[in-house]
Amino acid sequence: GQNIDQPTEMTATEGAIVQINCTYQTSGFNGLFWYQQHAGEAPTFLSYNVLDGLEEKGRFSSFLSRSKGYSYLLLKELQMKDSASYLCAALDSNYQLIWGAGTKLIIKP
Amino acid sequence: GAVVSQHPSWVICKSGTSVKIECRSLDFQATTMFWYRQFPKQSLMLMATSNEGSKATYEQGVEKDKFLINHASLTLSTLTVTSAHPEDSSFYICSASVLAGGPDTQYFGPGTRLTVL
């Protein structure tokens, strides 16, 4: 079956760095997305990786290893506004998005 | 760019009534639109995928006669929850993408919170 695993909840301190991991098992693979979702709001796009390696976008970076079925989202210089759920989603061979349950990130002062 | 709107933002209705939710891509033509449902503290659940001018493809377990989807143009899709019941209360989110069948980003609308009394 198809499956996405990511931690349910993480806590970090303002100004610190946090890494949110995601492992996936899908029928075929056409890339991996990370979305941010604040409580009561719709998800917003953060990143898309299809090749191995690290993609950096400001304070956020996303890494992919296709051979390991593994990705992570790295958030630097954490701000209180980064408190949100982070959703990992893999695109399978039919270009269907398989969603993880999301990681709730709590930022403490 | 890539803005998607939804209307209404929230709706409260009586059990047995029907509710229509609109999803519009404001600055691009969306070949494909997706409808999701999200219950509190749970991830997104895809309900159906719709392509302009054709019938929607529903996910297993989603009643197509209860959740009517119309994708009449490249910028508008509607979801009608027919004969709504309290268990249909949820956060309904649409998303739109430009390319059908490609590794394209989905752009999400702001969501519609439905409460059925």
Side-chain angles (χ1 to χ4, degrees):
Chain A
Q2 308 204 95
N3 193 50
I4 306 283
D5 282 317
Q6 55 182 128
T8 305
E9 187 174 295
M10 298 182 71
T11 303
T13 305
E14 190 177 15
I17 299 172
V18 72
Q19 177 175 310
I20 303 174
N21 296 323
C22 169
T23 57
Y24 62 88
Q25 289 178 305
T26 55
S27 302
F29 179 75
N30 281 298
L32 189 126
F33 292 85
W34 283 97
Y35 284 84
Q36 180 191 60
Q37 185 178 25
H38 285 100
E41 298 180 12
T44 55
F45 169 76
L46 289 179
S47 67
Y48 169 68
N49 294 64
V50 68
L51 300 176
D52 286 352
L54 186 68
E55 298 263 352
E56 296 187 67
K57 266 189 193 179
R59 293 189 300 114
F60 292 8
S61 303
S62 56
F63 171 84
L64 176 68
S65 168
R66 294 177 67 133
S67 62
K68 294 181 180 178
Y70 166 70
S71 173
Y72 68 72
L73 180 70
L74 190 71
L75 293 77
K76 302 177 185 175
E77 300 169 18
L78 286 170
Q79 301 175 9
M80 297 303 292
K81 67 178 182 179
D82 297 330
S83 292
S85 286
Y86 290 86
L87 307 175
C88 170
L91 205 58
D92 71 9
S93 57
N94 294 319
Y95 295 100
Q96 296 276 346
L97 267 181
I98 311 301
W99 292 88
T103 298
K104 183 178 180 181
L105 178 63
I106 300 168
I107 310 294
K108 295 185 175 179
Chain B
V3 178
V4 177
S5 71
Q6 266 183 257
H7 177 80
S9 301
W10 56 270
V11 59
I12 301 173
C13 69
K14 292 183 179 179
S15 186
T17 59
S18 293
V19 175
K20 181 187 279 189
I21 303 170
E22 289 188 352
C23 177
R24 292 180 186 272
S25 56
L26 299 185
D27 53 0
F28 67 101
Q29 293 186 323
T31 308
T32 306
M33 286 188 170
F34 304 85
W35 286 96
Y36 292 87
R37 182 166 53 183
Q38 186 176 36
F39 292 104
K41 297 184 180 180
Q42 294 186 24
S43 190
L44 299 172
M45 289 173 49
L46 180 65
M47 298 176 68
T49 303
S50 74
N51 292 295
E52 184 262 340
S54 61
K55 290 184 179 180
T57 302
Y58 289 81
E59 295 299 301
Q60 195 171 5
V62 178
E63 300 173 58
K64 61 181 180 181
D65 294 329
K66 181 171 180 63
F67 298 99
L68 302 177
I69 292 171
N70 184 280
H71 193 161
S73 76
L74 286 171
T75 59
L76 173 65
S77 176
T78 60
L79 167 69
T80 302
V81 183
T82 61
S83 186
H85 291 285
E87 59 265 29
D88 298 324
S89 298
S90 187
F91 191 44
Y92 291 86
I93 310 171
C94 74
S95 71
S97 67
V98 176
L99 298 174
D104 196 46
T105 302
Q106 291 184 29
Y107 297 96
F108 287 85
T112 297
R113 190 161 301 283
L114 171 64
T115 301
V116 184
L117 303 177

